[in-house]
């Protein structure tokens, strides 16, 4: 590090952004808007894209309409489909990096293993996988919520000798064609991959713990005419606005109107009726329909859309097993009915560790007085002011923190929390501060408000607790979502009182300490 005026050294970077997915990219753009240029995006992967780089399983695609799933500062006017495949989203991330001039800010192929706040110098010390350390005045954590695979803890799984993989770590060197394949899980990922596997395998067995609510998917190729509309800026902005409102209403309406439980219940009943009708149109076998009908209310889990998922289970080579898995054997799986089925490959479409101890964040972070963030959250519950900042963790911000995400497209979330972090950093620069930390009172008030709202939503009042939804964590809290509209999320992250943070300078504190 280079010396500056006085005894305080200059950190390597003003800001380190951890993660080069869309969240990290959005944070980088927000920093450039306020004039910060000395920053770096660090990522364990060799390319940008985050979720859209890691998830390459057959059939992977965005479940938000493509014209909506892009940044306001760089809308994309050419998509292959209304719901674009995952590889196209990864290419979009590359396009944003290039157009926004972020290519030279990347440090890829070596992830973060530890972060420690140096209280004497007001800098973060970031240790990387390659053994090096970088320092920064500020750190922005942009590790996505769907990052750490949740591998099932099933007895004997380590003894299985066939091919086993998690959907987010797809092995493209393995040829599953003509093989006997099992899929564990029936969530959003399984919804996409199961129909694709069924086209190629000899036998497909799906182990379902709980059925999933599914509606039809209005998907189609985006031809020249549709893309021409998106290429006209006024129409494109209109499409993005209307689309975001619609997606937010579809995914988060029940959370936003939590003060009106009767209205919420009526809406859920209407949605359930429509989706049961869709299931009936796809599957005529009453026993199979029964198995594919959820035993929990609509909205307990993130709803999904597909035109091929239900029909796949009517194929002769596809079996749906609803008995619990008891254990693995070296060659297969034994279910609760005592039947053993042998497989060449087992795919774990079992989701991710969301708001779980040791995985959010996926590496230790030490703030003031040696406090570790994961341990703090485990002991005191997951919490963060506007989903961005936590007391006793100065100069640190989150893109997807507890109570940050108002359900809908992730893009408005990224732009909102990035704007929040950039606004605070910009104010600290203006005041000549070297340390900025959210005050306890506004943080506690936000946490109490979100917790109170969350506990009034259908997740806690309509029997969702037993649905195994990732919206409710192991502490019994709804920390994975913000019970509000995305409009509120957008507004509050841009207009919170700047004095909700405390701004101090290391040099001033040194003089005060010396005087005392």
């Amino acid at each position: 590090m280079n010396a500056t005026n006085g005894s305080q050294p200059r950190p390597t970077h003003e800001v380190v952004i951890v993660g080069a997915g869309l969240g990290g990219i959005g944070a980088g753009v927000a920093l450039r808007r306020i004039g910060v240029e000395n920053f770096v995006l660090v990522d364990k992967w060799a390319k940008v894209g985050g979720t859209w780089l890691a998830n390459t399983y057959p059939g992977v695609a965005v479940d938000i309409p493509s014209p909506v799933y892009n940044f306001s500062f760089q809308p994309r006017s050419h998509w292959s489909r209304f719901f674009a495949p995952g590889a196209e989203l990864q290419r979009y991330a590359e396009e944003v990096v290039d157009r926004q001039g972020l290519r030279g800010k990347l440090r890829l192929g070596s992830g973060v293993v530890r972060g420690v706040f140096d209280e004497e110098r007001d800098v973060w010390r970031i240790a990387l996988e390659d053994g090096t350390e970088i320092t920064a005045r500020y750190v922005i954590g942009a590790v996505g919520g769907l990052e750490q695979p949740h591998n099932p803890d099933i007895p004997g799984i380590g003894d299985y000798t066939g091919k086993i993989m998690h959907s987010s770590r797809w092995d493209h060197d393995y040829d599953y064609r003509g093989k006997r394949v099992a899929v564990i899980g029936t969530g959003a990922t399984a919804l996409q991959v199961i129909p694709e596997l069924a086209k190629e395998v000899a036998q497909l067995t799906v182990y379902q713990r709980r059925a999933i609510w599914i509606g039809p998917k209005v998907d189609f190729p985006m031809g020249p005419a549709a893309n021409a509309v998106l290429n006209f800026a006024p129409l494109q902005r209109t499409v993005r606005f209307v689309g975001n409102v619609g997606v937010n209403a579809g995914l988060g309406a029940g959370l936003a109107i939590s003060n009106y439980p009767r209205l919420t219940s009526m809406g859920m009943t209407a949605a359930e009726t429509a989706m049961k009708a869709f299931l009936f149109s796809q599957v005529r076998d009453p026993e199979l329909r029964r198995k594919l009908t959820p035993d929990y209310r609509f909205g307990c889990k993130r709803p999904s859309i597909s035109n091929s998922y239900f029909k796949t289970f009517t194929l002769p080579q596809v079996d749906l097993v609803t008995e619990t898995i008891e254990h693995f054997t070296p060659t297969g799986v034994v279910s609760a009915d005592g039947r053993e089925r042998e497989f060449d490959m087992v795919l774990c479409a079992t989701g991710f560790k969301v708001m779980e101890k040791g995985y959010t964040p996926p590496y230790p972070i030490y703030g003031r007085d040696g406090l570790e963030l994961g341990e703090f959250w485990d002991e005191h519950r997951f919490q963060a002011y506007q989903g961005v900042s936590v007391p006793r963790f100065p100069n640190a911000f989150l893109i997807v923190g507890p109570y940050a995400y108002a359900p809908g497209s992730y893009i408005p979330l990224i732009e909102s929390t990035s704007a929040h972090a950039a606004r605070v950093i910009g104010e600290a620069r203006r005041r000549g501060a070297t340390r900025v930390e959210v005050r306890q009172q506004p943080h506690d008030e936000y946490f109490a408000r979100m917790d109170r709202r969350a506990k009034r939503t259908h997740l806690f009042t309509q029997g969702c607790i037993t649905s195994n939804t990732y919206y409710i964590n192991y502490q019994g809290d709804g920390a994975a979502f913000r019970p509000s509209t995305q409009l509120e999320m957008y507004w509050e992250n841009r207009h919170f009182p700047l004095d909700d943070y405390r701004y101090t300078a290391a040099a001033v504190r040194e003089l005060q300490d010396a005087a005392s």
Side-chain angles (χ1 to χ4, degrees):
M1 294 186 296
N2 299 320
T4 61
N5 294 334
S7 61
Q8 296 302 319
R10 180 183 296 122
T12 314
H13 303 282
E14 187 168 4
V15 186
V16 166
I17 301 171
V18 182
L22 294 178
I25 292 169
V29 172
L31 290 176
R32 299 199 83 171
R33 283 179 171 173
I34 64 167
V36 174
E37 289 294 336
N38 183 16
F39 65 90
V40 62
L41 288 88
V42 177
D43 201 294
K44 65 182 180 182
W45 299 105
K47 294 182 178 181
V48 302
T51 292
W52 301 113
L53 179 68
N55 288 272
T56 59
Y57 57 83
V60 60
V62 67
D63 61 359
I64 300 293
S66 307
V68 174
Y69 199 83
N70 49 86
F71 289 115
S72 63
F73 55 80
Q74 190 172 323
R76 196 175 199 255
S77 58
H78 290 85
W79 297 100
S80 64
R81 301 194 64 82
F82 191 61
F83 290 91
E88 201 163 338
L89 272 299
Q90 196 278 325
R91 287 198 298 273
Y92 173 66
E94 300 278 6
E95 293 168 6
V96 177
V97 165
D98 287 331
R99 187 183 298 181
Q100 301 299 325
L102 299 178
R103 187 68 61 182
K105 307 292 187 182
L106 300 176
R107 181 166 178 169
L108 305 177
S110 185
V112 172
V113 296
R114 185 179 64 260
V116 179
F117 184 66
D118 184 332
E119 298 184 58
E120 181 180 350
R121 296 174 175 82
D122 286 351
V123 300
W124 279 95
R125 298 187 177 277
I126 310 296
L128 304 183
E129 291 172 337
D130 61 11
T132 60
E133 180 184 85
I134 55 178
T135 57
R137 181 70 67 205
Y138 306 98
V139 62
I140 298 177
V143 178
L146 306 181
E147 159 64 20
Q148 293 295 310
H150 188 289
N151 290 303
D153 184 17
I154 300 174
I157 192 170
D159 300 326
Y160 177 64
T161 58
K163 180 67 177 180
I164 188 167
M165 68 175 92
H166 190 275
S167 56
S168 66
R169 302 293 185 266
W170 193 268
D171 183 356
H172 290 275
D173 292 330
Y174 181 80
D175 186 0
Y176 58 82
R177 292 175 297 178
K179 302 288 180 62
R180 300 165 301 173
V181 175
V183 176
I184 301 175
T186 52
T189 295
L191 182 86
Q192 295 181 335
V193 73
I194 285 171
E196 297 302 315
L197 290 175
K199 298 174 184 178
E200 303 285 350
V201 303
Q203 179 65 37
L204 181 64
T205 302
V206 178
Y207 288 90
Q208 172 186 278
R209 178 165 52 177
R210 275 196 165 84
I212 183 172
W213 288 108
I214 299 172
K217 185 177 184 178
V218 185
D219 193 17
F220 50 86
M222 293 283 287
N227 281 315
V229 169
L230 296 180
N231 206 31
F232 182 56
L235 284 177
Q236 187 178 63
R237 285 193 292 269
T238 301
V239 168
R240 289 188 76 260
F241 175 77
V242 173
N244 271 312
V245 170
V247 170
N248 184 210
L251 293 179
L255 305 178
I257 59 174
S258 56
N259 284 318
Y260 306 95
R262 183 172 298 179
L263 182 61
T264 302
S265 183
M266 289 173 58
M268 292 164 68
T269 299
E272 289 167 6
T273 301
M275 292 192 175
K276 286 179 179 178
F278 176 62
L279 171 58
F280 181 81
S281 73
Q282 302 286 296
V283 178
R284 293 308 176 94
D285 180 347
E287 178 60 20
L288 182 57
R289 276 204 314 274
R290 184 189 65 79
K291 291 182 177 180
L292 290 169
T293 302
D295 59 359
Y296 54 87
R297 299 302 305 271
F298 172 81
C300 290
K301 296 186 177 183
R302 183 183 173 102
S304 296
I305 49 177
S306 175
N307 298 328
S308 56
Y309 179 76
F310 287 143
K311 288 183 177 179
T312 299
F313 291 101
T314 66
L315 299 175
Q317 75 274 24
V318 180
D319 289 329
L320 177 63
V321 179
T322 56
E323 287 81 14
T324 304
I325 295 176
E326 287 289 322
H327 63 271
F328 273 78
T329 69
T331 57
V333 174
V334 177
S335 50
D337 58 2
R339 181 175 174 182
E340 178 179 0
R341 297 172 175 85
E342 295 188 342
F343 303 109
D344 302 299
M345 167 185 160
V346 174
L347 174 65
C348 299
T350 46
F352 301 87
K353 295 180 181 293
V354 180
M355 302 294 166
E356 292 190 25
K357 182 182 180 181
Y359 298 94
T360 307
Y363 48 84
I365 298 176
Y366 298 92
R368 287 196 294 111
D369 306 315
L371 181 64
E372 203 281 310
L373 182 58
E375 293 178 357
F376 168 76
W377 277 338
D378 181 57
E379 183 177 353
H380 299 282
R381 303 162 63 195
F382 283 78
Q383 53 189 282
Y385 175 65
Q386 298 291 340
V388 176
S389 301
V390 182
R392 297 176 65 184
F393 290 87
N395 297 4
F397 308 93
L398 299 163
I399 298 300
V400 189
Y403 300 102
Y405 168 60
S409 170
Y410 256 74
I411 301 298
L413 163 69
I414 292 169
E415 294 195 25
S416 296
T417 51
S418 294
H420 183 131
R423 186 167 181 246
V424 175
I425 292 172
E427 181 65 9
R429 292 175 115 209
R430 188 186 71 81
R431 299 191 187 195
T434 59
R435 181 188 296 187
V436 57
E437 181 178 340
V438 66
R439 297 178 185 274
Q440 193 71 46
Q441 182 176 345
H443 168 274
D444 291 348
E445 289 174 351
Y446 178 80
F447 176 40
R449 175 161 58 104
M450 292 299 109
D451 183 54
R452 184 170 57 251
R453 278 192 194 174
K455 298 297 169 53
R456 289 201 301 259
T457 67
H458 64 272
L459 295 179
F460 293 88
T461 61
Q462 299 286 343
C464 292
I465 293 178
T466 59
S467 68
N468 196 43
T469 174
Y470 75 81
Y471 283 151
I472 300 176
N473 70 357
Y474 68 99
Q475 298 166 319
D477 288 336
F481 69 95
R482 175 179 180 144
S484 76
T485 63
Q486 289 202 328
L487 177 61
E488 182 192 84
M489 174 187 71
Y490 174 96
W491 181 264
E492 290 193 358
N493 273 292
R494 289 169 170 80
H495 298 91
F496 60 89
L498 286 167
D499 283 337
D500 280 359
Y501 285 82
R502 179 180 293 105
Y503 307 83
T504 58
V508 173
R509 290 199 306 275
E510 284 183 357
L511 291 174
Q512 292 173 340
D513 291 342
S516 61

